[in-house]
Amino acid sequence: MVYNADFNPDLEHHVNVSNDYLFSAGFERYQRCLKDLDAPVWDEVRQTLAEYRPDVLGVTVKTQNYHSALQVARLAKQQNPDCFVIFGGPHPTMAGEESLEDPVVDMTVLAEGENTLVEILQTLSNSETPEFGAIAGIIYRGPDGLVRTPARGNHDNLDDFPNPIEALPEVLKDFDVYPANALARIFATRGCPYQCTFCGSVSMWTRKVRFRSPQNVVGEIKALLARGATHVHFEDDTFGVKKSYIRELCALIAQECPGLSWSCEITVQLADDENLRNMRAAGCHQVTLGIESGDDEMLKRIKKNITTEQAVAAVERCRKHDITPYVFLMFGFPEEDEKSIRGTLDIIPRLNSPSICFSVFTPYPGSQLFEQCKSWGMIDDKMDYSRFNHQSPDNHFSRNLSKETLDLHLHEAIRRIDRQEARVAKRMRRERGLRLLREQGGFAALRWALSGVARRLAPRPAE
């Protein structure tokens, strides 16, 4: 059984959460609920564990949710002390033996887990005293302490893996209440060739990029469309990676899936006219660009291999091809200073983006900057990962700026982003009205304008 504890079927009433809330009251509420297993947020998890009473519990763990995963494991062990708990995913892969410091975790799977998990389950089911030493790519508790087996090589042919949507009706809890678009998340590749110093993806996937065939990807998209999906998001670290692959995949999507709407993350380097033209023709309507800093020297330090002018130009090219550009920005890097932060603040109004996801640098295990922060004495071996994520008010890993100074810049950045997003959204609504007027005539434009008036006059929910 597959259980997604974060799923909320009431998507129509989803509320966007502001940066300001995440960096303040929202973070403190999260901390309270995380520590209190009697908090209502854990009720459904506890109920699900009681309903299924699993003999084996596998949890996908990112660094941000490591402590949440430990709480889930504790709940499982409370109900069934013999439950065998396996952690997998990015954090166990990057943190290694540290992920088993808490005794509620029995084993971790390193890097890709599809083949590894099958071997683990076969071993558990075939013996009352299982021996795990022959299984590559795991860390487990042996009689004399932790045992790390030899690394498992990645599976080269990604087309060998089954299409998830085919199995989900049988294994996903509450499958029938998931909206079709909620499951429309696709990986076309694994691996990222770039070397951003704040990213730990290389530990999970390596820098070697493996590609699913365009036919295999389109086959999954068709299965999602048959279930009623109208939009697909590509979860790849970097969509396409190679121009030839982007060209071939987009051509097949356009041919086999007409009318599909999709989005992805892409690098500034790949956001050129040819790629964007092919992507738009295949139905891409939104991309997210990882720009991160508005200072050229800082971009060099974190190995983004772009300049601010290239970043601004990439945003404009997206708009030229009628693709909405979202943007990632970040500051608080260890060698950040007043000049580099000012550059990031100043680039905000130059980015014609209706959505800027703003983060404060967090050192994640497996990244180059994590090791540098350790060498500079900024973090120790007992780092509390629950207190540090991209929207944590506790983040302070800067050698040149005090926490108070960084906080002042943070709140200025949030104010600038709020103003910029409102300004761009207003302009986009106006442009949409003009486009309707050109394409469909005055009645369509009038209907669009009246819908905007209705939204503004609608009663607001009580606070």
Side-chain angles (χ1 to χ4, degrees):
M1 189 270 291
V2 176
Y3 170 49
N4 177 12
D6 296 324
F7 171 62
N8 177 10
D10 196 13
L11 294 179
E12 290 184 358
H13 297 93
H14 174 71
V15 177
N16 289 323
V17 181
S18 70
N19 281 322
D20 193 44
Y21 179 76
L22 289 174
F23 279 107
S24 55
F27 180 78
E28 293 308 320
R29 182 184 181 193
Y30 153 73
Q31 284 290 317
R32 290 194 303 272
C33 292
L34 178 62
K35 294 176 172 63
D36 181 9
L37 278 176
D38 292 324
V41 70
W42 298 108
D43 290 348
E44 183 185 287
V45 178
R46 185 180 286 106
Q47 178 182 345
T48 300
L49 290 169
E51 179 182 355
Y52 287 91
R53 292 190 61 81
D55 295 316
V56 180
L57 174 69
V59 186
T60 300
V61 186
K62 294 184 177 180
T63 300
Q64 303 95 312
N65 71 358
Y66 172 62
H67 285 271
S68 298
L70 289 176
Q71 294 290 56
V72 173
R74 290 187 184 100
L75 289 173
K77 294 279 192 180
Q78 286 175 8
Q79 297 191 18
N80 178 10
D82 294 326
C83 180
F84 192 84
V85 175
I86 306 169
F87 277 9
H91 184 75
T93 299
M94 297 185 293
E97 282 77 2
E98 179 188 322
S99 297
L100 287 106
E101 287 183 353
D102 194 304
V104 295
V105 184
D106 298 298
M107 176 183 288
T108 61
V109 172
L110 308 177
E112 288 184 347
E114 288 92 343
N115 296 325
T116 309
L117 185 59
V118 170
E119 294 180 19
I120 293 169
L121 295 177
Q122 288 174 339
T123 300
L124 286 169
S125 63
N126 293 334
S127 174
E128 294 184 2
T129 57
E131 295 290 338
F132 300 110
I135 301 176
I138 61 173
I139 305 175
Y140 66 97
R141 299 186 187 281
D144 301 316
L146 297 180
V147 179
R148 178 190 282 254
T149 64
R152 179 186 293 269
N154 285 330
H155 194 95
D156 283 333
N157 187 358
L158 298 182
D159 286 3
D160 289 342
F161 293 131
N163 183 343
I165 195 65
E166 295 175 355
L168 284 179
E170 299 296 325
V171 300
L172 178 62
K173 175 178 163 53
D174 299 326
F175 173 83
D176 291 339
V177 300
Y178 275 75
N181 285 342
L183 301 172
R185 323 286 283 192
I186 290 179
F187 279 94
T189 64
R190 292 184 181 183
C192 179
Y194 298 99
Q195 302 181 46
C196 304
T197 60
F198 55 85
C199 179
S201 174
V202 62
S203 299
M204 185 72 190
W205 307 117
T206 77
R207 298 205 192 285
K208 177 186 176 182
V209 181
R210 290 162 293 148
F211 300 83
R212 293 171 62 187
S213 68
Q215 293 77 12
N216 187 266
V217 174
V218 167
E220 183 174 354
I221 294 174
K222 285 184 172 181
L224 291 166
L225 293 176
R227 189 180 174 269
T230 58
H231 175 84
V232 166
H233 180 73
F234 287 90
E235 293 281 357
D236 311 64
D237 289 335
T238 300
F239 175 75
V241 182
K242 297 192 305 184
K243 291 175 73 75
S244 58
Y245 184 76
I246 293 174
R247 186 186 310 117
E248 186 179 356
L249 177 58
C250 287
L252 194 62
I253 291 174
Q255 175 183 327
E256 299 290 332
C257 309
L260 175 70
S261 167
W262 56 274
S263 56
C264 66
E265 294 180 21
I266 195 168
T267 62
V268 166
Q269 295 93 321
L270 286 169
D272 62 21
D273 282 314
E274 179 185 350
N275 285 337
L276 293 173
R277 187 183 307 112
N278 289 330
M279 290 164 62
R280 188 68 189 93
C284 178
H285 75 96
Q286 183 257 308
V287 299
T288 302
L289 297 159
I291 294 173
E292 313 308 351
S293 177
D295 178 77
D296 285 339
E297 181 59 33
M298 186 54 61
L299 288 170
K300 289 180 183 177
R301 289 181 181 274
I302 62 176
K303 298 184 181 180
K304 284 297 295 183
N305 294 324
I306 60 173
T307 67
T308 53
E309 292 307 313
Q310 290 170 341
V312 172
V315 171
E316 292 306 315
R317 279 195 297 274
C318 291
R319 292 181 53 76
K320 181 178 76 172
H321 290 281
D322 196 26
I323 296 176
T324 302
Y326 287 10
V327 168
F328 289 138
L329 286 179
M330 186 188 309
F331 70 29
F333 296 105
E335 297 183 270
E336 196 92 63
D337 56 22
E338 290 283 355
K339 173 182 172 294
S340 61
I341 282 191
R342 182 55 52 188
T344 300
L345 293 172
D346 289 345
I347 203 175
I348 291 171
R350 299 181 63 198
L351 300 172
N352 284 318
S353 171
S355 179
I356 298 176
C357 179
F358 184 75
S359 302
V360 178
F361 165 71
T362 305
Y364 289 123
S367 67
Q368 294 179 45
L369 280 181
F370 181 86
E371 296 304 323
Q372 288 184 8
C373 286
K374 287 185 70 174
S375 69
W376 291 327
M378 293 180 173
I379 55 178
D380 57 32
D381 293 333
K382 298 299 181 183
M383 181 178 180
D384 182 358
Y385 297 115
S386 73
R387 296 211 65 85
F388 299 104
N389 58 57
H390 284 316
Q391 278 73 42
S392 168
D394 288 352
N395 278 18
H396 178 240
F397 301 96
S398 174
R399 305 175 75 191
N400 305 315
L401 300 172
S402 68
K403 179 69 165 62
E404 293 73 22
T405 299
L406 194 65
D407 285 347
L408 287 173
H409 289 309
L410 167 63
H411 292 296
E412 181 181 355
I414 291 172
R415 288 192 297 271
R416 288 193 180 206
I417 289 170
D418 288 345
R419 289 197 299 267
Q420 173 69 357
E421 289 181 345
R423 183 163 55 245
V424 173
K426 182 177 180 180
R427 188 187 66 238
M428 290 177 66
R429 288 194 297 270
R430 183 171 63 249
E431 290 173 351
R432 183 181 175 217
L434 292 173
R435 186 164 61 248
L436 283 171
L437 183 61
R438 289 194 304 269
E439 296 174 355
Q440 300 182 31
F443 182 73
L446 177 61
R447 185 172 63 247
W448 170 84
L450 290 175
S451 68
V453 172
R455 284 195 301 272
R456 288 193 292 274
L457 294 179
R460 296 180 180 274
E463 294 292 336

